[in-house]
Amino acid sequence: MRLIRVVGAGAGLALAVTACSGGGGAAEGDGEVGGTITYWDTSDAENEGPAYEAVIADFEEEHGVTVNHQFEDFDDARDRFDRAAASGDGAPDVLRTEVGWTADFASLGYLQPLDDTPALDDVDDFLDGPWSSAQYEGTTYAVPQVTDSLALLYNADLLAEAGHDEPPTTMDDLATVAGDVSEETDADGIYLHVEGYFLLPFIFAEGGQWVDDADERITINDPEAVAGLENALDLMNSDAALSPDLGESYDVMMAAFREGDVAMIINGPWSMGDALGGPAFEDAENLGVQSLEAGGPTGGHNYSVYAGSENLETAYAFVEYMASTETQSRIAEELGTLPTRESAYAAPAVEDHPIVSAYAPVMEASQPGAWIPEAGQMFVPFDDAYEAAVLGDVSPQEALDGLADEYQALLPDWE
Amino acid sequence: MTNVATTVQRRRATPARPPRPRAAEPGPLRRFLRTHWYAWALTAPVVIVMSVVIAFPFARGLWLSFTDADRRNVSTRIGENVTPATYEFVGVDNYVAILTGDVGDFWARLTWTVVWTLACVACHFGLGLGLAVMLNRRVALRGVYRAVMILPWAVPPFVSAFIWRYLYQGEYGLFNAALRGMGFPGVEWLGDPFWAKVVVITINVWLGVPFMMVALLGGLQSIPGQLYEAARVDGASPWQQFRHITLPSLRPVAAPVVLIGTIWTFNQFPVIFLVTGGGPARSTDLLVTYAFRLFGDGTYGVASAYGMVILGLLLVLGVIYQRALRREGQAW
């Protein structure tokens, strides 16, 4: 038995491999909308969930179908869908795909092509940025749901107390204002969340990029990107910033901002509701939004249909409904998320919504992503490299050189 | 035995009766099956299940470790999208890449895994033995103590992991609250590589001590009391009794449980995965959690090779350990 136990340790790993190569289910429907579909929702179940539940209930009633609406943790959803789709077992009919995942899943054959299906409706109405993330090799594999980008969120009272009536517009100003807040008030100036995606504005500000997909070049260790990382580290390690807690970086950022312990953070529109729930922003006017120097990355989410779905017609109808102008407006009105349809902004309740209007200039400035299949796998090593640099294990240049090596393994044909 | 032997001899001694004619002498396989068919029939279900759940995946994993399989080139068939398999045999490339450190951060992971295993098993054994000795004495409420001590073992590891994670939480955790209450600054338990390592070792020790304690307690109770009486008569001190009676007598129990504990700890997945997720900056990733990460990245070929290397390490460890024990006259 002893040997068997030892062998079993390796076999467990081997088992995981075999699980990744099973056959898929058949894709056939009776051509009518009905029955049950499963939808994996990666939105924030607590803050955003109720609004989505309400619109989905209306869809169920309208079409006499059942939507098995499951909230999946965003951080795990990519891996879980990857495993489920590859093994042909347990994948949902419809999935909320982050813009960076869509090309990845499409290239692996997990997603159903949506051109000429009922899922796509009035396609010219979609904004260019989100729409481009739904395309892979000339085919549409998703329908844009929401778009977003990173901006500077600030506590106007704290800035005023430090003598700044206007928020900073450049990274240099940001450091100055953060320093003043730390000196003049009880709060710290800024908290930087240690995650690669949140570092991008600093890299953009120096004129850097993580990859250049037009020239097929890995640019994450170019001097501009290194300078961006150095600036972020300098700021983080200065007296102006609350030093980051790598264990729970995001939660600490939001808690400190909500409580008024820190005056500025960099975050997206999804966090506005969370921030407004805190004592520092009982007066919503106190929460300011400012575009970053060279913009943030274009983020957002799409609806995708699993190619192995056994109820494609209902999945199409569901996606069409969820991405329709009415649904987008309704959700935007309630949550302040940014619609992906031009027409959805026309409703006054959306256009004048404080969060939507605050983020309009942010979206203008945002930089388009590289919609390549490998993008989905590029975040984790980016986070690790950023953490290593923050810990001081390696210099910024070494951290990004190591990251470039990992990207080279993902993109062997690139320069 | 003697009876059987004499019977055989007596038969040989009486050749008067002619041997019964037979159609054909059965072959060795036939004879083997005829003698043991019952045993085979009984073990067949186990053998079949074992080959399905262990041998087949193992063989497949071994094969994959010699290929460049990843999530892009294995075959998938999902709905109308069919992707044929295009991965290729690459020989020992994956193993070379791992052992030279080109992929998978192998030596750093191995170093930490060894440190982790030694630290955990040493604490398991030391604390387990101490507790076992205490509980082996006649004390009031011994049964209650034993039940309480075994509790960590009965709790599912993921529950323990989440509870501990909460206790160590930087802002709201109990430990930092206590530190701040005493006027010290809080410690970034899970955000600092050194403290994160201390935290995961502490949790795993807490989880593993009960098993060691129960095993050793069983061993202690099997030591005959006369040995101690005789030693006391000879004037041996308690420490001498422990050193020369308890420890040697425990060896038949201690040796296998230490090996099992070493293998378990070496491959301990839930604690690392659930408490730190391998972070910060991969500092607490063990070989196994790292192999899991490689699977998550979809590099099946490299990940399988990684698994095989881990298996190889444990086999070597097991063999060396057994040899060492045999040299000391312990067979088990």
Side-chain angles (χ1 to χ4, degrees):
Chain A
M1 278 312 280
R2 182 176 53 86
L3 183 72
I4 288 171
R5 169 158 288 137
V6 179
V7 171
L13 289 169
L15 194 63
V17 178
T18 53
C20 296
S21 53
E28 52 186 314
D30 52 11
E32 279 178 25
V33 175
T36 302
I37 56 165
T38 299
Y39 168 49
W40 276 11
D41 191 346
T42 57
S43 65
D44 179 345
E46 200 177 324
N47 293 313
E48 302 181 300
Y52 286 111
E53 269 165 7
V55 296
I56 288 172
D58 286 355
F59 173 77
E60 289 181 308
E61 199 169 324
E62 196 179 315
H63 291 88
V65 300
T66 308
V67 177
N68 180 8
H69 183 197
Q70 297 180 359
F71 286 100
E72 292 286 319
D73 185 42
F74 173 73
D75 292 328
D76 298 335
R78 195 188 79 90
D79 282 352
R80 292 193 53 184
F81 181 75
D82 194 11
R83 281 197 289 274
S87 65
D89 183 29
D93 300 277
V94 179
L95 169 78
R96 186 175 184 253
T97 42
E98 209 252 356
V99 287
W101 309 345
T102 313
D104 185 26
F105 290 152
S107 73
L108 290 163
Y110 296 168
L111 304 183
Q112 182 72 4
L114 297 179
D115 294 295
D116 304 319
T117 70
L120 281 179
D121 173 49
D122 195 11
V123 297
D124 295 333
D125 191 26
F126 286 104
L127 303 174
D128 291 341
W131 180 250
S132 66
S133 77
Q135 309 296 312
Y136 177 66
E137 293 190 339
T139 306
T140 310
Y141 283 96
V143 184
Q145 178 199 13
V146 292
T147 185
D148 59 50
S149 187
L150 294 175
L152 182 74
L153 307 188
Y154 61 92
N155 182 326
D157 287 348
L158 283 173
L159 257 55
E161 204 180 323
H164 294 276
D165 290 330
E166 293 296 320
T169 53
T170 67
M171 291 299 178
D172 285 344
D173 283 352
L174 180 65
T176 313
V177 173
D180 290 347
V181 171
S182 291
E183 271 180 35
E184 303 293 329
T185 74
D186 293 338
D188 279 303
I190 190 164
Y191 183 98
L192 297 180
H193 172 40
V194 184
E195 200 172 281
Y197 187 76
F198 291 74
L199 178 66
L200 287 173
F202 287 91
I203 293 176
F204 292 167
E206 294 295 319
Q209 271 293 344
W210 55 349
V211 288
D212 174 352
D213 59 332
D215 289 348
E216 303 209 327
R217 226 168 60 73
I218 294 159
T219 53
I220 192 64
N221 59 341
D222 282 2
E224 294 85 6
V226 177
L229 175 55
E230 280 169 350
N231 288 348
L233 293 179
D234 287 347
L235 182 54
M236 199 180 288
N237 296 329
S238 72
D239 294 336
L242 182 63
S243 64
D245 179 329
L246 295 187
E248 293 138 292
S249 184
Y250 187 90
D251 293 343
V252 170
M253 165 171 76
M254 289 312 296
F257 192 57
R258 273 197 311 263
E259 301 292 326
D261 293 339
V262 62
M264 295 182 282
I265 60 170
I266 292 173
N267 212 338
W270 61 82
S271 67
M272 297 282 282
D274 190 3
L276 288 169
F281 303 104
E282 270 169 20
D283 172 13
E285 295 285 304
N286 190 31
L287 177 57
V289 177
Q290 169 66 40
S291 296
L292 292 155
E293 183 172 348
T298 302
H301 298 271
N302 300 326
Y303 293 107
S304 296
V305 175
Y306 175 51
S309 167
E310 288 177 13
N311 198 348
L312 284 172
E313 292 304 323
T314 309
Y316 294 151
F318 178 68
V319 169
E320 190 215 337
Y321 168 82
M322 293 297 281
S324 67
T325 305
E326 293 76 33
T327 308
Q328 289 206 358
S329 302
R330 218 176 126 184
I331 294 286
E333 198 184 319
E334 216 162 311
L335 300 177
T337 53
L338 308 178
T340 56
R341 282 185 185 272
E342 198 90 57
S343 59
Y345 287 90
V350 177
E351 213 181 358
D352 301 335
H353 191 288
I355 300 178
V356 175
S357 53
Y359 268 89
V362 173
M363 293 315 299
E364 291 282 303
S366 84
Q367 304 221 11
W371 310 128
I372 51 175
E374 293 79 7
Q377 288 165 277
M378 288 166 64
F379 290 104
V380 173
F382 195 4
D383 296 347
D384 286 339
Y386 190 12
E387 282 189 15
V390 169
L391 290 168
D393 294 347
V394 288
S395 72
Q397 181 75 53
E398 285 165 346
L400 296 182
D401 283 346
L403 182 58
D405 285 346
E406 299 209 35
Y407 285 176
Q408 190 73 66
L410 279 175
L411 300 160
D413 300 332
W414 285 35
E415 244 181 84
Chain B
M1 284 302 276
T2 43
N3 278 347
V4 177
T6 46
T7 323
V8 170
Q9 270 172 2
R10 204 182 307 141
R11 272 197 192 152
R12 281 204 187 127
T14 53
R17 208 162 69 183
R20 229 194 290 169
R22 279 187 195 164
E25 192 67 18
L29 182 67
R30 265 271 186 88
R31 208 161 50 215
F32 178 77
L33 285 178
R34 189 181 296 162
T35 336
H36 299 297
W37 72 268
Y38 189 66
W40 281 107
L42 283 177
T43 51
V46 176
V47 171
I48 291 167
V49 169
M50 282 295 185
S51 49
V52 171
V53 301
I54 292 181
F56 171 72
F58 177 76
R60 192 178 158 79
L62 187 63
W63 156 246
L64 279 175
S65 74
F66 295 112
T67 68
D68 63 355
D70 63 33
R71 62 205 284 273
R72 299 212 167 274
N73 60 21
V74 294
S75 76
T76 51
R77 182 196 173 88
I78 300 163
E80 60 191 57
N81 302 326
V82 177
T83 318
T86 53
Y87 59 90
E88 286 170 357
F89 182 80
V90 295
V92 294
D93 284 8
N94 292 331
Y95 291 92
V96 171
I98 289 169
L99 294 177
T100 54
D102 272 356
V103 296
D105 198 17
F106 179 74
W107 297 104
R109 297 285 61 88
L110 179 64
T111 311
W112 157 235
T113 306
V114 169
V115 169
W116 148 270
T117 307
L118 290 178
C120 287
V121 174
C123 293
H124 285 159
F125 189 79
L127 293 174
L129 182 59
L131 290 171
V133 168
M134 287 199 310
L135 289 181
N136 197 32
R137 289 151 168 252
R138 281 182 214 292
V139 285
L141 299 176
R142 186 161 71 164
V144 177
Y145 288 140
R146 284 186 187 172
V148 170
M149 293 293 191
I150 201 76
L151 206 62
W153 200 38
V155 178
F158 79 93
V159 176
S160 311
F162 285 133
I163 292 171
W164 280 94
R165 198 189 147 84
Y166 185 72
L167 294 176
Y168 278 114
Q169 216 262 1
E171 287 292 304
Y172 326 103
L174 182 75
F175 294 133
N176 272 356
L179 280 176
R180 293 198 185 101
M182 291 185 287
F184 297 105
V187 174
E188 220 184 280
W189 295 107
L190 299 170
D192 178 85
F194 174 76
W195 288 115
K197 285 176 179 177
V198 172
V199 166
V200 289
I201 289 175
T202 316
I203 297 172
N204 193 48
V205 166
W206 183 82
L207 280 172
V209 161
F211 169 75
M212 206 58 99
M213 181 193 80
V214 169
L216 295 176
L217 189 55
L220 287 178
Q221 287 176 346
S222 70
I223 303 174
Q226 297 97 308
L227 290 178
Y228 293 102
E229 281 169 28
R232 270 197 295 275
V233 170
D234 290 345
S237 69
W239 169 248
Q240 282 171 326
Q241 291 174 34
F242 180 77
R243 173 88 178 65
H244 296 287
I245 299 173
T246 310
L247 280 185
S249 311
L250 267 183
R251 203 183 276 159
V253 174
V257 292
V258 165
L259 180 65
I260 290 172
T262 305
I263 292 170
W264 279 348
T265 309
F266 198 89
N267 281 335
Q268 173 61 263
F269 186 85
V271 170
I272 304 290
F273 189 74
L274 296 174
V275 175
T276 64
R282 291 186 194 170
S283 55
T284 56
D285 252 336
L286 298 173
L287 285 170
V288 269
T289 56
Y290 198 83
F292 182 80
R293 209 194 254 254
L294 288 172
F295 273 107
D297 290 349
T299 52
Y300 305 137
V302 175
S304 302
Y306 221 81
M308 292 297 154
V309 172
I310 296 172
L311 172 63
L313 286 171
L314 289 175
L315 283 176
V316 169
L317 173 79
V319 170
I320 292 175
Y321 192 78
Q322 201 185 7
R323 286 263 164 84
L325 290 177
R326 201 177 283 157
R327 231 187 352 259
E328 290 184 28
Q330 291 278 339
W332 51 279

